[in-house]
Amino acid sequence: MKAWGRWAAWLLCSLTASLAAAAGISANVDRREGTLQDTFLLLLTVEGSQSAEPHLPPLPAFAVHDYGRASKVTMVNGRFSSSVTYTYALTPKQLGRQSIGPASVTLDGKDYLSAPLTVSVVDAAAAPEEGHSDDALLITAAVSNKAPFVGEQLLYTWRFLRRERIANAQMSQPSFDEFDSEALGGQQEYEAIHRGQRYTVTEIRQALYPLEEGDLKLPASTVQCEVLTGRRDGLGSPLDGFFGRGSREARTVRGPALSLQVRPLPEPPANFSGLVGKVTLQASVSSTHLRVGDSATLVLKLSGTANLKNVAAPNFSLPKGLKAYDDRAGVESRAGESGLLQSKTFRKALVPSVGGILQVGPFTLTTFDPNSQQYQALSSPAVVLHVTPGEKQGGDKVAAPADAEAGPAQKVAVEVLADDILPNAHRREAAMAAPALSPVAMALATALPVALYGLAALLTRRQARRSAVGRRRQRRRRQARAQAQAELAALPSAEQAEAISRILRSYLGDVLQLEGLALTPAEVRALLAERPIPTEVRTAWTTLLARCDALHYDATAPQRRDGSKSLRDQALELLAQLDTYL
C-alpha cells in the first residue's frame, strides 16, 4: 500500500510539473486568405489550465462569434499535458491585409501573449474557387416594388436556401432605419425546388413603408453557420453528425443588396390624411334611437394596406346639442399574401342634450392611391339619431335644458316653466269683499285663519327645506378641496391620468354645483372665464385636464419629462390656487 501511495505522489508531482512547464497560449487561423464571403477560424490554445479563459485583442475589421471550446489531456512517454482550445469565427468587414493582434491569458498570476497574425481579404473575383463556393447555401432577397411612393407599403421577402445539414446558424438582416417596418407573421420553413434542385427554405417577410424620397439602400444580409460533414477517414455514415463523429466547417453566406428609387407624392390637398394605399372607411352607431342624456357609441373603422398606426380619426360634422367623447383607438394587423393588412377603429361616445333628429357626419378622409397616382376622397354616409326628451323628474319645479347656442358654460342653466299649484284664493277674496256676511261667508271667514296658518306652515317648511339645501351646498363647497386632496394623496401612482382627471372634475362640480364628471376642458375654460380668476390659473386648469385626457385615451401621448412635476403635484397646486377664487 505504501508503494502505491509513493507511486501516486510521484505521478501527481510529475503531472503538476509537466503542466506547469507547458503553460502559455498560442494562436492560429484555418486560412491565410479569403473573401468577404468567407469566415476565418481563429484558434486560441491555452496550455496548463482548464479554467483560464483568453482575452481577445481588438478586432475592428471583423465580426466576431464565439464557437465554443474543446479540452484535451494527453500523456506521451509518461509526461502529461493539458490544453483548452477556444474557437472564434471572424467574418471580414473590409478588403485588404488585416492584423489579428496578440491574445492574452493569465496563469498563476503571470500574463502570457500569443504571436500576432495577418490575413488577406481579397475581392471575390480574384479569389481562387473553394470547395464550398457552390449553390448548396443561398440567400435571396426581393421587394415587391423597386419604385414605390413615400409611405407606400412594400413586401420584403428574404429566403435562406440550403441543401446541406447546418448547425449554429446566425442571421444578420439589413437595417430598416429608413423605413417603418413590421413583421409579416413568423419565420416559415418549407421545401422548394430552385434551379432544378430541392432546397430546405427558411423564409422571413417584412412590410416596409419608406419614410423619405430618393435612393434608398437595403444592405446585404449574411448567415454564419457550421456545415456538418462526414468523417474525413471515409468511414462516415448518415448518423455521424447526430453522434458528433463528423467534422464541422464554418461558412458565411451573403445575400444581395437592394436599391430602391422612392418617388415623392404629388402636391397634396389641404385635408390629406397622410395615408398611402388602398383604404376603406365604414361608420356605424350602436343605437339610432335615444333619449336625452343617453349615450350611443359611434364606430369609425379604417381598413387597408396603408400604414394606419398614426392616422387621426376621419373628419365629420357634429350637430348642436350633441357631444362626442373620444375613446382609445385600436389597431389590428393581419398578414396576407399581398402584404400587411391593417384596421384601425375609432370609438366615440355620443351624448345628446336636446331632442329631435340629429345627423352626425358624413365622414370623409383623403388618401393617396399609388395605382392611379391620384388623391381620393373616401366618404361614409351620415348616421341619423332620433332623440326623444328625457322623462320628467319630480320636484318643486320643472326644468328645461338651456339654449344650445348659449355655449358650453350654460349647460346647467335652469329655466322655470311653472311653479307648484298653490291654493286658489279668489273665492276667499270675493267673500271678504261682500257687504254682508252670509252663512257661507261666515264659514269662510272662520276657515280663513286655518287656511292662512296652513299656508304659512307650507311656506315655512319650503323655506326651511331651501335653507337646508343651501347649507348642504355650502358644506359641499367647503369639503370639496379636502376630499379632492385626500383622493389625490391616496392614488397608487402620481401619473394616474384618468383618476386625476376624475378628481379634478368632481371638485369643480362640488364647488360650482354642477355635474363635474360631464365637463369637457372647453366647458371648464368657459365656466372659469365667468369668474374673477386670473388667466394663467384658468389656462393651467384646462391644460392639465386636456393632458390627462390625452394620456388616458392615447397611448402614444408623450410622458412626463425627467425633472418636471408629476400630474398629481400639478393637481394639488392648482387646487390650492383655484380654491382662493371660488
Side-chain angles (χ1 to χ4, degrees):
M1 294 296 297
K2 293 183 179 179
W4 278 105
R6 288 194 298 271
W7 185 88
W10 172 83
L11 179 62
L12 179 62
C13 292
S14 300
L15 178 60
T16 304
S18 63
L19 291 178
I25 183 173
S26 60
N28 199 0
V29 289
D30 66 332
R31 68 178 70 199
R32 294 288 179 170
E33 185 177 284
T35 69
L36 291 174
Q37 285 75 33
D38 296 322
T39 297
F40 297 85
L41 291 184
L42 173 62
L43 308 176
L44 300 180
T45 302
V46 177
E47 301 281 352
S49 174
Q50 292 286 314
S51 58
E53 294 189 3
H55 301 286
L56 286 174
L59 298 170
F62 300 90
V64 182
H65 300 277
D66 188 352
Y67 267 33
R69 51 177 284 178
S71 302
K72 182 173 65 174
V73 177
T74 60
M75 183 179 69
V76 179
N77 297 327
R79 295 179 60 87
F80 286 88
S81 63
S82 172
S83 65
V84 181
T85 299
Y86 298 82
T87 304
Y88 302 90
L90 308 183
T91 302
K93 298 179 180 179
Q94 56 195 39
L95 300 174
R97 293 179 62 83
Q98 309 298 338
S99 298
I100 302 174
S104 63
V105 69
T106 301
L107 300 172
D108 297 330
K110 184 177 180 181
D111 295 332
Y112 297 87
L113 297 176
S114 66
L117 302 172
T118 302
V119 296
S120 296
V121 182
V122 299
D123 187 83
E129 187 167 343
E130 306 239 348
H132 62 268
S133 298
D134 53 21
D135 60 353
L137 301 176
L138 295 174
I139 292 178
T140 65
V143 291
S144 58
N145 185 2
K146 289 191 174 182
F149 286 96
V150 174
E152 180 182 358
Q153 182 185 145
L154 303 174
L155 179 59
Y156 173 80
T157 304
W158 180 92
R159 295 186 178 96
F160 176 43
L161 299 85
R162 56 195 182 276
R163 291 191 293 111
E164 297 182 346
R165 293 179 298 124
I166 63 172
N168 299 327
Q170 299 180 9
M171 179 185 66
S172 174
Q173 273 200 341
S175 62
F176 301 121
D177 295 338
E178 297 169 311
F179 302 83
D180 192 0
S181 63
E182 186 167 345
L184 284 174
Q187 176 177 303
Q188 296 184 0
E189 299 278 345
Y190 58 89
E191 299 287 329
I193 302 297
H194 180 72
R195 296 177 182 174
Q197 300 285 343
R198 180 175 293 277
Y199 287 86
T200 299
V201 181
T202 300
E203 180 180 282
I204 297 175
R205 298 195 303 164
Q206 295 273 141
L208 305 180
Y209 301 90
L211 299 178
E212 57 186 39
E213 61 184 82
D215 295 326
L216 300 186
K217 302 289 186 181
L218 284 172
S221 59
T222 60
V223 171
Q224 295 178 337
C225 62
E226 293 177 335
V227 176
L228 306 180
T229 60
R231 293 171 54 175
R232 296 187 178 182
D233 56 8
L235 302 178
S237 73
L239 298 179
D240 283 346
F242 179 80
F243 290 106
R245 297 195 297 262
S247 62
R248 301 190 177 197
E249 181 180 353
R251 299 270 187 94
T252 297
V253 187
R254 189 178 298 268
L258 302 177
S259 299
L260 304 178
Q261 179 62 44
V262 181
R263 293 176 288 174
L265 297 177
E267 185 67 24
N271 58 349
F272 177 46
S273 63
L275 296 180
V276 179
K278 287 288 188 181
V279 181
T280 60
L281 170 61
Q282 295 177 330
S284 61
V285 67
S286 60
S287 177
T288 57
H289 291 78
L290 306 171
R291 293 185 304 176
V292 170
D294 290 345
S295 66
T297 301
L298 173 66
V299 179
L300 302 176
K301 185 174 183 180
L302 297 173
S303 303
T305 60
N307 190 2
L308 301 176
K309 289 187 294 185
N310 299 319
V311 67
N315 297 321
F316 65 95
S317 59
L318 195 66
K320 294 181 180 179
L322 186 67
K323 289 184 179 180
Y325 298 91
D326 290 334
D327 197 352
R328 182 174 299 178
V331 180
E332 296 180 354
S333 300
R334 178 174 59 87
E337 290 298 325
S338 59
L340 182 68
L341 302 177
Q342 290 185 337
S343 64
K344 187 169 186 177
T345 304
F346 301 90
R347 292 181 172 84
K348 297 177 182 289
L350 303 179
V351 181
S353 59
V354 297
I357 298 178
L358 304 179
Q359 177 176 301
V360 185
F363 309 91
T364 60
L365 190 75
T366 301
T367 64
F368 181 77
D369 184 6
N371 294 331
S372 63
Q373 302 185 18
Q374 293 180 350
Y375 291 95
Q376 294 185 348
L378 304 179
S379 63
S380 182
V383 297
V384 178
L385 302 179
H386 301 270
V387 183
T388 58
E391 294 182 359
K392 181 185 297 185
Q393 303 296 326
D396 295 338
K397 300 184 184 296
V398 180
D403 186 359
E405 296 183 357
Q410 304 298 325
K411 66 171 289 180
V412 295
V414 176
E415 177 187 353
V416 178
L417 299 182
D419 286 321
D420 283 350
I421 299 177
L422 300 180
N424 193 336
H426 295 297
R427 292 185 178 180
R428 182 173 60 248
E429 294 174 355
M432 293 175 63
L437 297 178
S438 63
V440 176
M442 288 295 293
L444 291 175
T446 304
L448 181 59
V450 178
L452 291 175
Y453 176 80
L455 178 60
L458 177 63
L459 293 176
T460 301
R461 286 196 300 270
R462 178 172 296 178
Q463 184 63 32
R465 185 164 60 250
R466 290 178 176 175
S467 298
V469 172
R471 287 194 299 270
R472 287 196 299 270
R473 291 177 177 176
Q474 291 297 329
R475 185 165 59 253
R476 180 183 176 189
R477 289 170 59 93
R478 290 194 301 269
Q479 295 176 350
R481 178 182 173 186
Q483 182 178 352
Q485 289 176 332
E487 291 179 355
L488 287 172
L491 291 178
S493 170
E495 302 294 330
Q496 199 166 347
E498 186 273 337
I500 292 174
S501 174
R502 173 179 50 79
I503 293 171
L504 294 180
R505 286 180 164 88
S506 296
Y507 165 79
L508 286 176
D510 291 341
V511 172
L512 302 177
Q513 306 300 313
L514 305 173
E515 180 54 48
L517 296 179
L519 294 175
T520 65
E523 292 173 340
V524 171
R525 184 185 302 109
L527 286 170
L528 297 182
E530 297 178 350
R531 291 161 175 80
I533 300 174
T535 303
E536 59 272 14
V537 177
R538 299 198 306 267
T539 303
W541 262 90
T542 54
T543 301
L544 180 58
L545 287 176
R547 176 165 175 75
C548 288
D549 291 344
L551 291 172
H552 174 53
Y553 292 113
D554 187 359
T556 64
Q559 302 295 318
R560 174 167 65 98
R561 297 179 179 177
D562 294 338
S564 63
K565 294 181 180 178
S566 67
L567 293 177
R568 179 164 55 193
D569 291 342
Q570 296 179 52
L572 289 171
E573 182 178 311
L574 290 177
L575 283 175
Q577 292 178 359
L578 190 62
D579 199 63
T580 60
Y581 299 103
L582 295 177

